[in-house]
């Protein structure tokens, strides 16, 4: 959508009758580049990029048999996503090609504007109990930083989005009701506690979950359910959460 009209994006097999599908998941800051995944007539899922409406296939990370793109930085030069081999792998595409990273099974969902910080989740196994759990993670210039749960105890967390400078991360632990915010200064705090400091009762919103954050980190986009209807909520946190 460009504000006045809708422009369908082509798939990998644009011929009439081709049994294909495509889905766009993220867009660059200037709106020229979109990324997502597409299924060619031969089957499988491939990461793709649309530039000015023209589709191109992104290479698969080494060892992956399919992949999908989930996020893109501001100028469109860094794309992130998830590839699949025997396990899920975090994937990043730049002008140098595709690479993967992380220990265990990794999913990545968002990238900072400059492409330096990538957020997602990593499955790992406790060496003593052999229990498997998921940790929220922020990958940056100094490697992986594991983000603690707000209560310090939740064993399944994932980071879903990051502000433009990589400073603020949002995610969830356990379920949609476990939405949290993180920065290095304050650590992890629940969304409910941030809203409470603003005089907002989060229990008024069913299944409140965070879905996006503005480039400057001042505003959150959330979804919730009320009276069997899904709706959105814009939350301005400037001055409440640094």
């Amino acid at each position: 959508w460009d504000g006045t009209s809708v422009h369908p994006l082509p798939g990998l097999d644009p011929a009439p009758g081709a049994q294909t599908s495509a889905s766009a998941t993220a867009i660059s800051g200037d709106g020229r580049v979109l990324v997502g995944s597409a299924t060619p007539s031969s089957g499988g899922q491939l990461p793709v990029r649309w530039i000015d409406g023209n589709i191109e296939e992104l290479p698969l990370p080494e060892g992956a048999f399919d992949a999908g793109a989930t996020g893109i930085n501001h100028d469109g030069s860094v794309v992130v996503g998830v590839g699949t081999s025997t396990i899920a792998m975090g994937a990043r595409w730049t002008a140098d090609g595709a690479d993967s990273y992380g220990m265990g099974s990794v999913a990545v969902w968002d990238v900072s504007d400059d492409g330096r910080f990538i957020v997602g989740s990593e499955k790992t196994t406790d060496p003593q109990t052999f229990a498997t759990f998921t940790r929220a993670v922020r990958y940056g210039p100094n490697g992986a930083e594991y983000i603690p749960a707000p209560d310090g105890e939740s064993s399944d967390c994932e980071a879903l989005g990051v502000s433009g400078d990589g400073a603020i991360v949002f995610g969830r632990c356990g379920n949609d009701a476990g939405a949290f915010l993180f920065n290095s200064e304050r650590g992890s705090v629940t969304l409910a506690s941030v809203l409470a400091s603003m005089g907002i009762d989060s229990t008024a919103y069913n299944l409140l979950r965070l879905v996006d954050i503005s480039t400057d980190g001042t505003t959150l986009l959330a979804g919730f359910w009320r009276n069997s209807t899904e709706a959105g909520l814009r939350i301005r946190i400037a001055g409440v959460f640094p």
Side-chain angles (χ1 to χ4, degrees):
W1 296 268
D2 62 9
T4 58
S5 57
V6 176
H7 305 275
L9 298 169
L12 288 173
D13 294 321
Q19 298 298 310
T20 65
S21 62
S23 177
T25 54
I27 189 169
S28 62
D30 61 7
R32 289 187 61 243
V33 185
L34 295 93
V35 296
S37 60
T39 303
S41 56
S42 58
Q45 178 179 273
L46 297 173
V48 294
R49 170 171 55 197
W50 293 269
I51 301 178
D52 293 328
N54 299 309
I55 193 171
E56 66 177 88
E57 182 181 329
L58 296 170
L60 289 173
E62 183 177 357
F65 54 78
D66 67 15
T70 57
I72 187 170
N73 74 327
H74 186 78
D75 65 7
S77 62
V78 179
V79 178
V80 298
V82 182
T84 305
S85 57
T86 55
I87 59 173
M89 61 174 69
R92 177 176 59 185
W93 292 269
T94 65
D96 296 326
D99 61 351
S100 58
Y101 50 92
M103 301 294 292
S105 181
V106 175
V108 296
W109 303 115
D110 200 10
V111 56
S112 62
D113 279 357
D114 59 8
R116 296 173 65 238
F117 295 93
I118 298 170
V119 298
S121 62
E122 184 175 292
K123 286 188 178 179
T124 189
T125 301
D126 188 301
Q128 296 181 334
T129 65
F130 300 103
T132 300
F133 58 94
T134 303
R135 298 181 291 183
V137 62
R138 176 173 60 182
Y139 300 101
N142 298 321
E145 176 186 8
Y146 297 102
I147 298 172
D151 59 11
E153 297 179 359
S154 297
S155 59
D156 288 297
C157 299
E158 59 181 334
L160 301 175
V162 62
S163 60
D165 61 1
I168 299 177
V169 176
F170 75 80
R172 65 185 173 198
C173 290
N175 53 48
D176 288 336
F180 70 88
L181 294 169
F182 168 87
N183 69 15
S184 297
E185 179 182 336
R186 290 185 60 181
S188 294
V189 299
T190 64
L191 174 62
S193 67
V194 173
L195 294 178
S197 69
M198 301 164 62
I200 300 173
D201 180 8
S202 62
T203 62
Y205 304 94
N206 294 325
L207 295 178
L208 182 64
R209 65 201 183 281
L210 294 174
V211 296
D212 207 354
I213 187 170
S214 62
T215 294
D216 61 7
T218 65
T219 306
L220 302 170
L221 183 65
F224 67 97
W225 285 85
R226 178 177 289 170
N227 298 325
S228 301
T229 300
E230 192 171 19
L233 183 68
R234 185 171 58 183
I235 307 167
R236 185 166 177 80
I237 58 172
V240 178
F241 191 85

